[in-house]
Amino acid sequence: MQGKLRWGDFVICAVVLVLAGLITLPFLFQPSDSLTCEIKQGDTVVKTIRLADGYQDTITLTAGEITNVIEVDGKSVRFASSNCPDQVCVHTGTLTRAGQMAVCLPTRVVVRLIGEDTTVDAVAR
């Protein structure tokens, strides 16, 4: 066998490249992640927000003497402040992906992100 490439080698390479492009094509035109923020207090849905870039809002919820301030900034949500004793809701941090949630137990406030998350966290081998 010689070390030269023949025309059949180029045809095989072209077919492989075309197939790889066809497999990749649906992933390129996939719609962006659509996230919805659901804020519940007890069993009542207080507000449902469709998250989008550039959207900003501040929601203040009060239950008894405890006040929660929830900030929505683009495609992220967080408990900005709360005067509850344990501050677990504030320390939860910023929610950015579908399925994440933050809860303030004394006021029974639940902030949850709902939607299709197509980002990859990890790869198992």
Side-chain angles (χ1 to χ4, degrees), residues 2-10 13:
Q2 299 177 13
K4 298 180 182 179
L5 294 175
R6 298 185 180 176
W7 70 272
D9 297 330
F10 291 109
C13 287

PDB file of all heavy atoms in Angstrom, residues 2-10 13:
ATOM      1  N   GLN A   2       0.483   2.222  -0.735  1.00  0.00           N
ATOM      2  CA  GLN A   2       1.249   3.449  -0.863  1.00  0.00           C
ATOM      3  C   GLN A   2       0.762   4.484   0.128  1.00  0.00           C
ATOM      4  O   GLN A   2      -0.310   4.382   0.682  1.00  0.00           O
ATOM      5  CB  GLN A   2       1.117   3.986  -2.282  1.00  0.00           C
ATOM      6  CG  GLN A   2       1.637   3.020  -3.329  1.00  0.00           C
ATOM      7  CD  GLN A   2       1.407   3.570  -4.731  1.00  0.00           C
ATOM      8  OE1 GLN A   2       1.093   4.726  -4.899  1.00  0.00           O
ATOM      9  NE2 GLN A   2       1.570   2.722  -5.718  1.00  0.00           N
ATOM     10  N   GLY A   3       1.528   5.543   0.363  1.00  0.00           N
ATOM     11  CA  GLY A   3       1.177   6.602   1.290  1.00  0.00           C
ATOM     12  C   GLY A   3       0.366   7.714   0.647  1.00  0.00           C
ATOM     13  O   GLY A   3       0.157   8.758   1.250  1.00  0.00           O
ATOM     14  N   LYS A   4      -0.121   7.542  -0.550  1.00  0.00           N
ATOM     15  CA  LYS A   4      -0.887   8.581  -1.237  1.00  0.00           C
ATOM     16  C   LYS A   4      -2.378   8.415  -0.988  1.00  0.00           C
ATOM     17  O   LYS A   4      -2.875   7.310  -0.841  1.00  0.00           O
ATOM     18  CB  LYS A   4      -0.617   8.517  -2.742  1.00  0.00           C
ATOM     19  CG  LYS A   4       0.820   8.778  -3.099  1.00  0.00           C
ATOM     20  CD  LYS A   4       1.009   8.711  -4.585  1.00  0.00           C
ATOM     21  CE  LYS A   4       2.475   8.937  -4.940  1.00  0.00           C
ATOM     22  NZ  LYS A   4       2.715   8.856  -6.370  1.00  0.00           N
ATOM     23  N   LEU A   5      -3.074   9.535  -0.971  1.00  0.00           N
ATOM     24  CA  LEU A   5      -4.524   9.512  -0.826  1.00  0.00           C
ATOM     25  C   LEU A   5      -5.167   9.355  -2.197  1.00  0.00           C
ATOM     26  O   LEU A   5      -4.722   9.940  -3.188  1.00  0.00           O
ATOM     27  CB  LEU A   5      -5.032  10.802  -0.173  1.00  0.00           C
ATOM     28  CG  LEU A   5      -4.619  11.049   1.271  1.00  0.00           C
ATOM     29  CD1 LEU A   5      -5.087  12.421   1.722  1.00  0.00           C
ATOM     30  CD2 LEU A   5      -5.198   9.976   2.161  1.00  0.00           C
ATOM     31  N   ARG A   6      -6.238   8.591  -2.231  1.00  0.00           N
ATOM     32  CA  ARG A   6      -6.960   8.395  -3.477  1.00  0.00           C
ATOM     33  C   ARG A   6      -8.270   9.162  -3.404  1.00  0.00           C
ATOM     34  O   ARG A   6      -8.671   9.644  -2.355  1.00  0.00           O
ATOM     35  CB  ARG A   6      -7.216   6.912  -3.695  1.00  0.00           C
ATOM     36  CG  ARG A   6      -5.921   6.142  -3.827  1.00  0.00           C
ATOM     37  CD  ARG A   6      -6.180   4.719  -4.164  1.00  0.00           C
ATOM     38  NE  ARG A   6      -4.904   4.022  -4.281  1.00  0.00           N
ATOM     39  CZ  ARG A   6      -4.795   2.762  -4.493  1.00  0.00           C
ATOM     40  NH1 ARG A   6      -5.875   2.019  -4.620  1.00  0.00           N
ATOM     41  NH2 ARG A   6      -3.611   2.203  -4.607  1.00  0.00           N
ATOM     42  N   TRP A   7      -8.959   9.230  -4.535  1.00  0.00           N
ATOM     43  CA  TRP A   7     -10.205  10.000  -4.579  1.00  0.00           C
ATOM     44  C   TRP A   7     -11.251   9.405  -3.652  1.00  0.00           C
ATOM     45  O   TRP A   7     -12.080  10.123  -3.091  1.00  0.00           O
ATOM     46  CB  TRP A   7     -10.718  10.122  -6.011  1.00  0.00           C
ATOM     47  CG  TRP A   7     -11.238   8.832  -6.591  1.00  0.00           C
ATOM     48  CD1 TRP A   7     -10.536   7.886  -7.251  1.00  0.00           C
ATOM     49  CD2 TRP A   7     -12.584   8.373  -6.512  1.00  0.00           C
ATOM     50  NE1 TRP A   7     -11.333   6.852  -7.603  1.00  0.00           N
ATOM     51  CE2 TRP A   7     -12.612   7.130  -7.163  1.00  0.00           C
ATOM     52  CE3 TRP A   7     -13.752   8.867  -5.978  1.00  0.00           C
ATOM     53  CZ2 TRP A   7     -13.770   6.373  -7.281  1.00  0.00           C
ATOM     54  CZ3 TRP A   7     -14.905   8.127  -6.089  1.00  0.00           C
ATOM     55  CH2 TRP A   7     -14.907   6.894  -6.739  1.00  0.00           C
ATOM     56  N   GLY A   8     -11.259   8.102  -3.424  1.00  0.00           N
ATOM     57  CA  GLY A   8     -12.208   7.462  -2.514  1.00  0.00           C
ATOM     58  C   GLY A   8     -12.005   7.909  -1.071  1.00  0.00           C
ATOM     59  O   GLY A   8     -12.970   7.998  -0.292  1.00  0.00           O
ATOM     60  N   ASP A   9     -10.757   8.184  -0.705  1.00  0.00           N
ATOM     61  CA  ASP A   9     -10.470   8.677   0.653  1.00  0.00           C
ATOM     62  C   ASP A   9     -11.125  10.044   0.871  1.00  0.00           C
ATOM     63  O   ASP A   9     -11.671  10.318   1.952  1.00  0.00           O
ATOM     64  CB  ASP A   9      -8.965   8.775   0.878  1.00  0.00           C
ATOM     65  CG  ASP A   9      -8.272   7.419   0.791  1.00  0.00           C
ATOM     66  OD1 ASP A   9      -8.921   6.404   1.133  1.00  0.00           O
ATOM     67  OD2 ASP A   9      -7.084   7.379   0.407  1.00  0.00           O
ATOM     68  N   PHE A  10     -11.078  10.892  -0.120  1.00  0.00           N
ATOM     69  CA  PHE A  10     -11.701  12.214  -0.025  1.00  0.00           C
ATOM     70  C   PHE A  10     -13.228  12.104   0.052  1.00  0.00           C
ATOM     71  O   PHE A  10     -13.879  12.859   0.770  1.00  0.00           O
ATOM     72  CB  PHE A  10     -11.288  13.089  -1.210  1.00  0.00           C
ATOM     73  CG  PHE A  10      -9.844  13.481  -1.175  1.00  0.00           C
ATOM     74  CD1 PHE A  10      -8.935  12.944  -2.075  1.00  0.00           C
ATOM     75  CD2 PHE A  10      -9.381  14.386  -0.230  1.00  0.00           C
ATOM     76  CE1 PHE A  10      -7.601  13.300  -2.034  1.00  0.00           C
ATOM     77  CE2 PHE A  10      -8.046  14.754  -0.186  1.00  0.00           C
ATOM     78  CZ  PHE A  10      -7.151  14.198  -1.084  1.00  0.00           C
ATOM     79  N   CYS A  13     -14.106  11.056   3.613  1.00  0.00           N
ATOM     80  CA  CYS A  13     -13.967  12.210   4.514  1.00  0.00           C
ATOM     81  C   CYS A  13     -15.120  13.187   4.337  1.00  0.00           C
ATOM     82  O   CYS A  13     -15.657  13.715   5.320  1.00  0.00           O
ATOM     83  CB  CYS A  13     -12.639  12.918   4.264  1.00  0.00           C
ATOM     84  SG  CYS A  13     -11.222  12.002   4.872  1.00  0.00           S
TER      85      CYS A  13
END
